[in-house]
Amino acid sequence: MKTAYRTCPLCEAVCGLTITLDDDGHVTEVRGDGDDPFSKGFICPKGASLGRLDEDPDRLRAPLVRTGDRWREVSWQEAFAAVEQGLSRVPGPGRAVYLGNPNAHTMAGALYGPALARALGSRNVFSASTADQMPKHVSSGLMFGDPMTIAVPDLDRTDYLLMLGANPLESNGSLCTAPDFPGRLKALRARGGRLVVVDPRQTRTAKLADEHLFIRPGTDAYLLAGIAHTLFADGLVTVTAPVAGLDEVERAVADLSPLASAEVCGVPADVIVRLAHELAAAPTAAVYARIGTCTAEFGTLAQWLVDVINTITGNLDRPGGVMFPRPATEGPARRKPYRTGRWHSRVRGLPEANGELPVATLADEIETPGEGQVRALITVAGNPVLSAPNGPRLGRALRGLEFMVSVDPYLNETTRHADVILPPPRVLESGHYDFALLNFAVRNYARYSPPALPLDGRPSEAEILARLAVIASGQGADADPALIDELILDGMLRAAVADEGSPLHGRDPAELRASLEGTSGAEVRLDAMVRLGPYGEWNGGVLSLPELLRHPNGLDLGPLEPRLPGVLATASGLVELAPPTILDDLVRLRAGLGRRAPEFVLIGRRHLRSNNSWLHNVGPLVGGTNRCTLQINPADAARLGLGDTAVVRSAAGELAVPVEPTDSIMPGVVSLPHGWGHDGGFQTVAGQNAGVSVNTLTDETVVDPLSGNAVFNGVPVAITAG
Ligand SMILES: Nc1nc2c(c(=O)[nH]1)N[C@H]1C(S)=C(S)[C@@H](COP(=O)(O)OP(=O)(O)OC[C@H]3O[C@@H](n4cnc5c(=O)[nH]c(N)nc54)[C@H](O)[C@@H]3O)O[C@H]1N2
Ligand SMILES: Nc1nc2c(c(=O)[nH]1)N[C@H]1C(S)=C(S)[C@@H](COP(=O)(O)OP(=O)(O)OC[C@H]3O[C@@H](n4cnc5c(=O)[nH]c(N)nc54)[C@H](O)[C@@H]3O)O[C@H]1N2
Ligand code: SF4
Ligand SMILES: [Mo]
């Protein structure tokens, strides 16, 4: 018997788990880790099923190579040779990479994903970010200077939380890393605080709130503009942060009055005015908006308005407001001011953001002939055939590729099109550190989980990605992937010793390199990052890899602290409240003022026991209320004469779906969860609970223009009885 302490990698809440293993490495029990200072023993049904997932018999154990429809297990050496052969047929500009969501939850994704993207030799870098949070990066980049400088609600101290388009009772939170989010919301109410939820559905989170407001999907930017307008018009503006552009913002929202906004968003004007007054009057307040507001037509405008309101109510960067975490691996501040559109996609001319192109245009890039046509694709931890808008079209496009390689533990709707599949090892065979998610944590915190089980000669996911990067850069399948680590370490250490402000100034990089610890390239790089980071041993603090290893249950690094102006990386050194790119986009918002809403619009849905497309093969997590049904208001269902099945049509496609009438959804809105539609018979349990893919209906031709983000909420649909 053995006990392993590990961070759960399944969602953004980073809960600590205590896992019991028998002598053969089988998981016998998973509990919440009561000694974790952040999650304090919290666990959800997904975390509790981690053992089942990790030992799923349908998980791939060896690399697969495809010939026609036949799959063959091969050795790692043979698999990498096949990748080298395949990629060599398509030179750099014709290659693309798609990095899926779990890259935010693996060390490999954080440490080697960027190296792989750089090694491609092409600008065809795509990720799940443009089906998710890219609007937040763009607005934060333009306002604060760095797309990763994201203000998170100070959940544990706020007196008032206005939450839009998030359902943390199902999702456990996003861009707000907070284990036991539900408990933190209950604590907010218990200390006399107020929670207001804005959502077209009365979700479990909405039921917990003091107030729930229905909103027409896709129109949050109107509601938020109406609030900002009221703050200016009623003399409620308090600005404590160093800002530029306050007058421009006032002028920009002058014609977006509560009355005008109410007509589009459906929240009554007097309620919009009251929300503004409540936000201004609360001792501290935070506005927090997530996926429902990001994956929408005015995604970036909504994210911008969120931080405008936080700033002009005096809540930016103060305890109880929204704050900037200080993660243990924080690197030096970026030097160049942030901008988007440094290049554009070949076919649709969509602007780059964060060095990426929108996944909504990946199929265009594969299907459209000409110079730069994508003919080879690498996917890592992604299932875009189910997760991208108009997934079926993307699936057809993948069939036409000259070569595709996928790093994924499953044969699924996307990886079935690959020529080679490289499976990462089990979760318990991998080390874990949350490089990405701890940037957004509501407390400063660090925790490293070393591998709990040995790899016995198989490559770690870090080694798989490093080797792919080495192959893509033309160094051949036999070159040493550790070279990548040494190159990156050398760059970090050289920059540190050259920095006059660093305690390491003038030291010898080789001597520093020699003092780093770790049993893998990934561990050594983690050691370097935390030593150089704000709590690091090389920075007057105590943190290092050995120190992390001495605290397997995690280390509390204290509550969030004010970080302005130092955290800003804008050219002006100020919070840019009125970036011109964003103000220009208000033209679209104003143009929508008189617009008539479609009869029905579609939105998404998440369920606690699901996770995007890939937990449907774990028996205890499927079935029950976690089902792929079309939620519709009973009045709408009756008016349309719907029986058990409805046919839903959109500009992109058509689906027949089981109907679930419920009062919890507002009239004129229907909801389907994403990640279903498991065809191909690759996964036993998932195949028995296949469902349909909502992304048959979502339209890849519509994006949020500033971020290129896909639009999943507010999709116009027509509904008839099936
Ligand atoms: N159990 C579970 N947890 C997950 C995931 C999962 O699939 N399952 N996925 C993970 C991922 S990748 C992410 S990004 C996060 C997302 O985490 P959240 O942002 O909390 O996502 P959802 O639970 O989908 O909640 C979005 C809410 O927005 C509402 N909504 C839809 N359209 C609109 C709109 O136009 N305006 C407003 N105001 N609301 C709208 C929906 O009804 C829904 O209740 O969750 C993560 N956690
Ligand atoms: N209609 C609609 N569509 C949506 C959304 C929505 O709300 N509505 N949400 C969007 C959001 S927020 C997101 S983040 C995207 C997600 O989009 P994707 O990232 O493309 O899809 P996932 O379903 O998360 O697929 C994850 C893949 O990673 C694999 N995997 C799991 N763990 C690992 C690992 O450790 N290593 C490797 N290499 N692979 C692993 C799984 O087997 C699976 O194939 O979907 C988006 N799509
Ligand atoms: S809330 Fe998220 S991190 Fe915590 S146990 Fe559940 S899936 Fe894992
Ligand atoms: Mo996501």
Side-chain angles (χ1 to χ4, degrees):
M1 293 285 260
K2 170 176 173 173
T3 301
Y5 300 102
R6 296 199 58 83
T7 301
C8 175
L10 297 180
C11 88
E12 298 182 38
V14 306
C15 300
L17 303 178
T18 305
I19 301 176
T20 315
L21 300 159
D22 69 15
D23 294 338
D24 299 323
H26 298 301
V27 175
T28 55
E29 195 185 18
V30 183
R31 281 177 294 123
D33 179 356
D35 293 325
D36 183 301
F38 198 21
S39 63
K40 299 185 176 139
F42 181 80
I43 186 170
C44 86
K46 280 186 295 184
S49 304
L50 186 66
R52 286 288 292 266
L53 174 71
D54 216 23
E55 296 184 52
D56 182 346
D58 287 339
R59 262 182 97 102
L60 306 179
R61 319 268 142 182
L64 294 183
V65 166
R66 180 174 60 86
T67 323
D69 289 335
R70 300 247 323 280
W71 293 94
R72 184 165 57 89
E73 279 195 8
V74 299
S75 70
W76 283 95
Q77 202 184 3
E78 195 177 330
F80 284 120
V83 173
E84 183 181 9
Q85 228 256 324
L87 283 182
S88 68
R89 298 203 302 268
V90 182
R95 299 174 184 167
V97 66
Y98 173 80
L99 303 170
N101 169 274
N103 283 295
H105 302 263
T106 64
M107 292 181 82
L111 295 177
Y112 302 89
L116 177 57
R118 272 195 305 274
L120 266 192
S122 121
R123 284 177 167 166
N124 294 314
V125 177
F126 300 84
S127 88
S129 290
T130 51
D132 187 344
Q133 82 289 358
M134 194 58 90
K136 192 76 199 173
H137 291 305
V138 170
S139 78
S140 300
L142 294 172
M143 294 177 82
F144 308 128
D146 188 313
M148 288 300 277
T149 301
I150 288 176
V152 306
D154 187 13
L155 270 192
D156 297 342
R157 290 181 289 188
T158 194
D159 297 288
Y160 188 104
L161 182 62
L162 174 60
M163 184 181 322
L164 308 101
N167 187 8
L169 264 77
E170 306 288 353
S171 70
N172 285 305
S174 182
L175 294 188
C176 177
T177 298
D180 193 14
F181 208 126
R184 289 172 203 265
L185 291 180
K186 286 176 197 150
L188 156 70
R189 296 200 57 217
R191 65 177 177 265
R194 187 171 170 80
L195 171 65
V196 179
V197 170
V198 180
D199 198 303
R201 270 193 317 128
Q202 192 197 27
T203 59
R204 288 208 295 133
T205 307
K207 289 194 177 109
L208 180 97
D210 294 277
E211 182 174 7
H212 166 230
L213 298 164
F214 280 131
I215 186 166
R216 288 199 193 110
T219 65
D220 296 78
Y222 291 94
L223 168 66
L224 294 162
I227 292 175
H229 172 104
T230 307
L231 291 167
F232 285 109
D234 295 0
L236 301 172
V237 169
T238 311
V239 178
T240 47
V243 302
L246 186 62
D247 296 343
E248 281 103 309
V249 176
E250 178 167 9
R251 281 197 296 278
V253 296
D255 52 356
L256 293 158
S257 68
L259 264 179
S261 298
E263 205 150 314
V264 187
C265 73
V267 178
D270 60 322
V271 175
I272 299 179
V273 172
R274 174 167 59 78
L275 289 176
H277 282 255
E278 286 178 7
L279 282 165
T284 63
V287 185
Y288 165 67
R290 237 342 235 131
I291 203 89
T293 66
C294 274
T295 53
E297 190 184 356
F298 302 112
T300 305
L301 283 176
Q303 300 317 310
W304 165 70
L305 284 161
V306 163
D307 283 329
V308 164
I309 296 172
N310 284 323
T311 307
I312 67 176
T313 52
N315 284 301
L316 180 68
D317 197 42
R318 76 157 159 190
V322 293
M323 303 191 77
F324 300 103
R326 191 194 289 272
T329 54
E330 186 170 77
R334 71 187 272 133
R335 292 196 188 90
K336 283 202 203 122
Y338 179 74
R339 63 192 194 91
T340 58
R342 292 170 296 169
W343 54 86
H344 291 78
S345 69
R346 180 180 64 103
V347 180
R348 276 160 67 186
L350 296 172
E352 150 281 339
N354 288 13
E356 295 184 21
L357 295 172
V359 68
T361 194
L362 177 54
D364 301 311
E365 295 295 332
I366 298 173
E367 286 172 353
T368 313
E371 200 167 313
Q373 178 181 11
V374 170
R375 293 188 296 121
L377 177 68
I378 302 174
T379 72
V380 182
N383 192 359
V385 170
L386 294 191
S387 64
N390 199 348
R393 176 185 168 201
L394 183 58
R396 289 191 296 275
L398 297 184
R399 269 191 248 147
L401 285 169
E402 179 140 349
F403 180 71
M404 175 170 160
V405 51
S406 294
V407 183
D408 204 290
Y410 284 110
L411 187 50
N412 64 22
E413 300 74 20
T414 295
T415 60
R416 69 189 297 180
H417 300 293
D419 299 282
V420 182
I421 305 179
L422 307 171
R426 287 173 55 182
V427 169
L428 291 169
E429 292 163 341
S430 310
H432 188 90
Y433 188 89
D434 278 301
F435 291 99
L437 304 176
L438 295 179
N439 282 304
F440 317 122
V442 300
R443 270 188 87 85
N444 294 316
Y445 161 88
R447 175 170 171 145
Y448 174 61
S449 319
L453 294 170
L455 272 172
D456 297 330
R458 283 164 296 134
S460 67
E461 182 158 16
E463 284 162 27
I464 296 172
L465 296 196
R467 202 168 276 284
L468 284 180
V470 166
I471 294 173
S473 66
Q475 296 176 67
D478 299 325
D480 183 5
L483 291 174
I484 291 189
D485 296 311
E486 294 309 326
L487 210 66
I488 293 172
L489 284 166
D490 190 56
M492 284 168 70
L493 296 173
R494 273 177 200 284
V497 300
D499 177 358
E500 290 181 11
S502 163
L504 297 181
H505 182 59
R507 298 265 299 268
D508 173 14
E511 168 235 331
L512 293 171
R513 168 65 190 90
S515 67
L516 288 170
E517 299 189 35
T519 56
S520 63
E523 279 193 353
V524 175
R525 283 176 59 193
L526 172 63
D527 192 26
M529 287 168 84
V530 292
R531 281 184 204 233
L532 290 168
Y535 314 88
E537 199 179 271
W538 286 346
N539 223 347
V542 295
L543 276 197
S544 61
L545 178 70
E547 182 68 4
L548 288 173
L549 288 168
R550 276 191 287 276
H551 295 88
N553 311 95
L555 274 161
D556 182 36
L557 302 170
L560 304 188
E561 285 174 5
R563 299 197 61 190
L564 288 180
V567 78
L568 298 174
T570 49
S572 61
L574 303 169
V575 174
E576 289 292 347
L577 280 183
T581 339
I582 290 188
L583 292 195
D584 288 349
D585 197 34
L586 283 168
V587 174
R588 273 191 322 127
L589 198 66
R590 292 198 193 93
L593 275 175
R595 202 169 58 175
R596 266 196 52 205
E599 189 188 2
F600 284 104
V601 289
L602 174 72
I603 62 169
R605 187 159 91 236
R606 280 180 168 72
H607 188 280
L608 183 60
R609 286 182 293 124
S610 183
N611 191 20
N612 299 331
S613 74
W614 66 280
L615 290 193
H616 299 151
N617 205 46
V618 181
L621 295 180
V622 285
T625 51
N626 173 17
R627 287 193 311 125
C628 184
T629 55
L630 184 80
Q631 293 192 339
I632 184 167
N633 190 279
D636 286 333
R639 187 166 48 81
L640 296 171
L642 296 187
D644 292 343
T645 314
V647 176
V648 188
R649 289 185 186 82
S650 73
E654 175 179 323
L655 279 180
V657 283
V659 174
E660 181 191 345
T662 166
D663 277 325
S664 64
I665 193 156
M666 69 189 279
V669 181
V670 292
S671 160
L672 263 178
H674 72 285
W676 297 87
H678 301 292
D679 57 5
F682 304 118
Q683 296 174 28
T684 323
V685 183
Q688 290 155 5
N689 300 272
V692 291
S693 177
V694 67
N695 285 323
T696 306
L697 297 171
T698 56
D699 186 348
E700 81 283 20
T701 66
V702 185
V703 295
D704 168 42
L706 293 189
S707 63
N709 209 88
V711 174
F712 297 130
N713 291 312
V715 178
V717 289
I719 298 166
T720 50

